[in-house]
Amino acid sequence: MVVFNSLLSVAVFSVLGALAVPHVGTNLTTRAGTPSSKGIHDGFFYSWWTDGGATATYTNEPKGQFSVTWEYGSGGNLLGGKGWSPGSHTRVMSYTGTYQPSGNSYLAVWGWTRDPVIEYYIIESFGSYNPSSFLMKKGTVTADGSVYDMGVYFRSNEVSSSTQFYSVRRNKRTKGTVDLGAHFRAWEAAGMRLGASHDFQILVCEGYFSSGSCNMTVSEVGSTDTAATTLEANRDAVDPIPAANLEGPAR
């Protein structure tokens, strides 16, 4: 198990969750459910976090399987899933299962890098809110059988700030293969540079003031070739837009 350094630990548990739609009247009351935790289960790294505003249950199943159910209460931001720690710049992963959101939610690959600290999402499906709508657009990449919208979100408050990178799949799905390296190389070509080293890298279900359920199984199926010819092919698929400062909606 990788033990987070103090900076990343603070970042994870203070800015966790990327569903950035503002919500009026967020007077949270702690609800029943699974307490936040992280660690190793049956050979896979897992992470589960909840702000306690929804009735939410996270369950580690055998190997790479996990399940999440949540019910809207007085609010609730939550996120959990399984994968690996540390992550990899070239991992090819496979996932399959059921995902049934009602409201604002993501099914995504989620991870962090260090030096600098960057949070990233490769969103495979989502609920009622399209996350690409709040991003600073950085073009598109064609990977894994679909076009993904790439973008950056800068978030700051009185205590901390964070940068998030996104690929948002246009054709939603609940099973398939994700070539992480293809996304990372496209981000690099668009000026979105990840940190020097990876922390964790997991498939997650996330909910924000919503209800839903998911039951997923994740596995590693290989790694990508990072040769220059592959990078050039991904550069052809990128339509970058010049960077600009963006202050997105608060969570």
Side-chain angles (χ1 to χ4, degrees):
M1 173 181 176
V2 172
V3 179
F4 296 163
N5 63 31
S6 58
L7 173 62
L8 190 57
S9 297
V10 170
V12 168
F13 291 101
S14 62
V15 303
L16 200 69
L19 297 161
V21 182
H23 190 88
V24 178
T26 58
N27 184 17
L28 298 181
T29 301
T30 302
R31 316 268 301 178
T34 307
S36 300
S37 66
K38 64 182 184 291
I40 299 295
H41 177 266
D42 211 2
F44 286 80
F45 177 80
Y46 80 92
S47 179
W48 166 246
W49 177 87
T50 173
D51 65 6
T55 300
T57 302
Y58 174 84
T59 305
N60 280 319
E61 310 284 359
K63 300 299 181 181
Q65 186 179 4
F66 66 93
S67 63
V68 184
T69 60
W70 69 100
E71 182 181 351
Y72 178 80
S74 58
N77 190 188
L78 54 100
L79 176 151
K82 273 186 172 182
W84 303 270
S85 182
S88 166
H89 211 74
T90 60
R91 177 171 281 118
V92 179
M93 56 169 283
S94 178
Y95 71 93
T96 184
T98 59
Y99 170 63
Q100 298 176 311
S102 176
N104 197 355
S105 173
Y106 293 168
L107 171 66
V109 180
W110 175 57
W112 290 72
T113 62
R114 295 188 178 98
D115 303 320
V117 172
I118 301 288
E119 181 183 10
Y120 63 84
Y121 284 83
I122 300 171
I123 296 179
E124 295 291 284
S125 187
F126 52 87
S128 60
Y129 182 76
N130 186 337
S132 66
S133 63
F134 70 81
L135 300 178
M136 178 180 65
K137 302 298 192 296
K138 299 290 284 184
T140 63
V141 57
T142 301
D144 309 316
S146 179
V147 174
Y148 289 75
D149 294 297
M150 301 188 303
V152 179
Y153 177 61
F154 298 111
R155 179 181 181 273
S156 63
N157 54 36
E158 295 81 3
V159 242
S160 64
S161 61
S162 64
T163 301
Q164 299 169 336
F165 291 172
Y166 285 82
S167 286
V168 182
R169 187 181 178 91
R170 292 183 181 177
N171 300 322
K172 299 178 185 179
R173 62 179 181 172
T174 57
K175 65 177 180 179
T177 300
V178 183
D179 181 348
L180 300 178
H183 293 271
F184 296 160
R185 292 191 298 274
W187 292 350
E188 176 78 15
M192 301 161 59
R193 293 177 178 84
L194 291 170
S197 62
H198 281 270
D199 203 271
F200 61 84
Q201 188 174 72
I202 62 179
L203 181 76
V204 294
C205 293
E206 180 169 359
Y208 185 81
F209 292 86
S210 62
S211 301
S213 66
C214 75
N215 189 309
M216 286 287 155
T217 301
V218 64
S219 63
E220 183 171 10
V221 295
S223 61
T224 55
D225 182 1
T226 57
T229 51
T230 306
L231 176 59
E232 289 295 334
N234 280 281
R235 281 178 176 162
D236 292 340
V238 176
D239 180 21
I241 296 173
N245 291 328
L246 173 70
E247 183 63 40
R251 276 184 265 182

